[in-house]
Amino acid sequence: MSVIETAATNISDNTSAVAAFDVHAVRAEFPILKQEIHGKPLVYLDNGATTQKPNAVIKAVEQYYQQINSNVHRGAHTLSDRATIAFENARKGVQTFLNAELSEEIIWTSGTTESINIIAQSFGHAFIREGDQILVSAMEHHANIVPWQMLCQRTGAELKVIPVLESGDLDMDAFAGLLNENVKMVSVVHISNALGTVNPVKEIIEQAHAVGAKVLLDGAQAVAHYDIDVQALDADFYVFSGHKMFAPTGVGVLYGKKSLLDAMPPVQGGGEMIEKVSFSGTTYQGLPFKFESGTPHISGAIGLHAAINYLNQLDHAGLMAHEKAVLDYAHQRAAACEGFKLVGNAQHKAGVMSFLIEGAHPSDVGMLLDQQGIAVRTGHHCAMPIMEQFNIPGTARASFSIYNTMEEVDALFEAIEKVKMFLI
């Protein structure tokens, strides 16, 4: 039986859900996918870095600038009122998307990185002391490592690392062994950008809460793939970037439980976040504005709302079944590809296939794939510690989204065969 026939057999249980998801109709909504690169149809497999934008998002941002462009809040004119309504409706849209209890628990940021930094600085200022411990995993993005290292340097707290097994799974036994009453924060990725591992975040939160620790989930890679319910998870903080889920760059979200956000001080001063300023002292606005100094990314928030609305109109069961089928098929092709080494083979994976070609540097692989119209990412993926653990310089990474197809997987592996002929 051929690789294609085997893969088709293995995904037969999801046939109805996959069939219900019209990937070609989805692709038609993303104008960038229609182009050619180096004379070849674009095969965009760099979704872990950023996703492409559907017409609905492009149109929403265009309409904002064409029809209502104005600053928000406190405006005394119609355009400002319209912009403010759209901006705050976007916040409510995110609240519903995450199933947060309150709209003021949704803080606008520039992205996942800023969100984590705000929490590290603000929560750290309020609650972290010398001798306290912070846990992160070995598979974290640098954005979920460095802010905590900086906090530990300032406070005398200790950063401890949850090990990752060779399969790419989090070592949950080791995690349980690290938990104690000194642990004040557990900050882990929901889905690894480098390995595709889907972490057991519900279990992590339950165990951390049992010792009194708070939990931050980096959801940058999860929000475009899974339904997120922060109340069901009981997450203390959940953060993500809009551009990973079909929205514009430069806008992101920090969700936090109101009780925690109320107790945390602002980290940036300026307009919007103040209630009253005088040289004798300043008082701050309440939530969410005390964390939103300066003019926000208004068009980005509106674009993010449009992306959420776009996702909400899709069949989520079909979407997830389609993405799983594409990833499973890619793994089937990988297993039959001589000299192909998969990096990260966790029990639960989503959307990411990191790999090495025996005898070839990942950068050379990426460059030659690009010459054939295939867009992948190469390097350490801002996850140098896990690359060091695996004793590799980095990987080539194909990351999949809702508009990728089995045919594009075939194109990837046909291109890899040509790369092997050239480099090996």
Side-chain angles (χ1 to χ4, degrees):
M1 184 179 289
S2 71
V3 171
I4 296 175
E5 291 168 336
T6 301
T9 300
N10 289 346
I11 65 173
S12 60
D13 292 341
N14 287 328
T15 298
S16 60
V18 173
F21 183 77
D22 189 345
V23 66
H24 298 293
V26 169
R27 288 179 64 84
E29 291 299 317
F30 291 81
I32 199 170
L33 300 179
K34 297 178 174 67
Q35 68 178 293
E36 291 187 346
I37 300 293
H38 301 301
K40 303 285 187 179
L42 170 63
V43 176
Y44 185 79
L45 302 178
D46 194 18
N47 297 286
T50 197
T51 52
Q52 298 302 339
K53 317 308 173 195
N55 286 319
V57 171
I58 296 169
K59 182 177 180 181
V61 173
E62 182 182 46
Q63 285 183 334
Y64 165 75
Y65 283 115
Q66 287 183 341
Q67 299 177 18
I68 64 172
N69 178 43
S70 181
N71 215 324
V72 293
H73 305 133
R74 299 183 306 280
H77 57 88
T78 299
L79 290 184
S80 181
D81 289 342
R82 290 175 180 170
T84 299
I85 290 169
F87 182 71
E88 291 303 330
N89 281 344
R91 193 190 307 272
K92 292 175 184 176
V94 175
Q95 175 197 354
T96 302
F97 180 68
L98 295 179
N99 193 33
E101 182 179 2
L102 303 165
S103 64
E104 54 261 44
E105 294 177 321
I106 305 302
I107 310 298
W108 295 117
T109 69
S110 65
T112 305
T113 298
E114 185 185 26
S115 296
I116 295 172
N117 274 275
I118 288 172
I119 296 166
Q121 293 175 46
S122 183
F123 180 90
H125 178 84
F127 298 109
I128 303 295
R129 301 290 181 266
E130 185 176 358
D132 290 340
Q133 295 175 353
I134 300 163
L135 302 186
V136 300
S137 83
M139 70 176 75
E140 297 306 315
H141 190 283
H142 298 162
N144 202 25
I145 298 173
V146 178
W148 303 112
Q149 289 177 325
M150 296 168 70
L151 175 62
C152 289
Q153 290 170 355
R154 292 196 305 269
T155 62
E158 184 180 8
L159 186 67
K160 293 203 166 185
V161 181
I162 309 163
V164 171
L165 302 173
E166 288 303 301
S167 63
D169 290 293
L170 200 63
D171 189 335
M172 291 300 289
D173 290 335
F175 170 64
L178 288 169
L179 288 172
N180 61 71
E181 62 183 11
N182 294 322
V183 177
K184 304 303 180 188
M185 173 63 75
V186 177
S187 190
V188 293
V189 68
H190 193 161
I191 298 177
S192 166
N193 74 304
L195 305 176
T197 303
V198 181
N199 281 320
V201 292
K202 179 68 171 174
E203 183 180 350
I204 289 169
I205 290 169
E206 289 173 351
Q207 292 187 31
H209 284 176
V211 299
K214 305 304 180 186
V215 179
L216 183 156
L217 297 181
D218 171 359
Q221 299 294 332
V223 287
H225 303 283
Y226 291 129
D227 294 327
I228 308 300
D229 186 331
V230 292
Q231 292 191 76
L233 288 172
D234 197 22
D236 299 297
F237 302 100
Y238 198 97
V239 300
F240 67 91
S241 300
H243 74 97
K244 307 280 190 180
M245 54 166 290
F246 318 113
T249 56
V251 66
V253 168
L254 187 170
Y255 159 80
K257 290 179 178 176
K258 184 177 186 296
S259 59
L260 289 172
L261 294 174
D262 277 336
M264 291 162 49
V267 297
Q268 292 182 326
E272 189 73 11
M273 53 77 67
I274 55 90
E275 182 178 74
K276 181 180 179 181
V277 174
S278 73
F279 287 111
S280 61
T282 294
T283 56
Y284 307 125
Q285 291 265 35
L287 295 175
F289 304 113
K290 75 173 181 177
F291 290 108
E292 295 180 356
S293 61
T295 298
H297 189 0
I298 305 165
S299 65
I302 291 170
L304 176 53
H305 194 198
I308 288 172
N309 289 338
Y310 173 76
L311 277 171
N312 285 341
Q313 75 179 10
L314 298 177
D315 169 27
H316 275 222
L319 180 157
M320 289 187 286
H322 170 77
E323 287 191 336
K324 183 179 186 304
V326 170
L327 182 63
D328 287 348
Y329 182 52
H331 283 170
Q332 293 280 344
R333 292 296 309 260
C337 182
E338 186 177 353
F340 187 103
K341 179 183 178 182
L342 188 65
V343 180
N345 195 24
Q347 183 177 0
H348 299 289
K349 284 187 64 176
V352 172
M353 184 176 69
S354 283
F355 63 93
L356 294 169
I357 302 299
E358 185 179 353
H361 193 280
S363 296
D364 295 331
V365 172
M367 179 183 66
L368 291 176
L369 288 176
D370 175 65
Q371 293 300 312
Q372 300 175 73
I374 316 288
V376 301
R377 186 148 296 254
T378 64
H380 52 65
H381 314 299
C382 293
M384 293 177 75
I386 197 64
M387 299 297 159
E388 183 178 350
Q389 174 179 322
F390 290 154
N391 195 31
I392 55 178
T395 67
R397 183 188 70 186
S399 48
F400 305 101
S401 188
I402 60 175
Y403 38 65
N404 292 125
T405 66
M406 306 290 190
E407 291 80 7
E408 289 183 317
V409 173
D410 288 333
L412 168 65
F413 280 91
E414 289 166 10
I416 286 173
E417 291 302 322
K418 294 178 182 178
V419 168
K420 287 160 58 177
M421 291 173 60
F422 188 83
L423 293 178
I424 300 174

